[in-house]
Amino acid sequence: DRARFALSREVASASVLRIERGDERVTLEVPGWLPRPEYRWLSLHAAPVAESKGLGWEISADAEAQVTKVLTERLGLVVEAQ
């Protein structure tokens, strides 16, 4: 999966990390399965959304900046807020 993220970054067609903000919680939708290191890191900082089949995660609003920074820097994701 890391190759997919690297290729999308190289062709200027970055994968999109969708974010939906609530009052206290933020829902993230990742573009497919993450590479193992990022998946492990995210699983320590977020809770999976049951009905999302592994692509949706929920974090506290306070953690949004840290989590999006790590995912954008490591995978080249572009954040899209809904």
Side-chain angles (χ1 to χ4, degrees):
D1 283 332
R2 185 168 299 286
R4 178 172 49 94
F5 290 104
L7 287 172
S8 68
R9 183 185 293 180
E10 289 299 316
V11 297
S13 176
S15 297
V16 176
L17 173 66
R18 289 184 172 77
I19 295 179
E20 187 175 327
R21 294 179 180 102
D23 290 335
E24 297 179 16
R25 306 297 292 170
V26 175
T27 303
L28 310 172
E29 183 183 327
V30 296
W33 294 102
L34 297 174
R36 184 170 286 155
E38 286 76 15
Y39 177 84
R40 285 182 178 169
W41 184 87
L42 187 58
S43 69
L44 294 173
H45 295 86
V49 176
E51 63 272 4
S52 69
K53 298 181 182 174
L55 303 178
W57 297 85
E58 189 175 77
I59 58 174
S60 69
D62 296 338
E64 179 186 352
Q66 177 192 15
V67 170
T68 56
K69 180 181 178 190
V70 168
L71 294 176
T72 57
E73 287 179 356
R74 292 186 57 104
L75 299 174
L77 298 175
V78 173
V79 176
E80 181 181 283
Q82 297 179 337

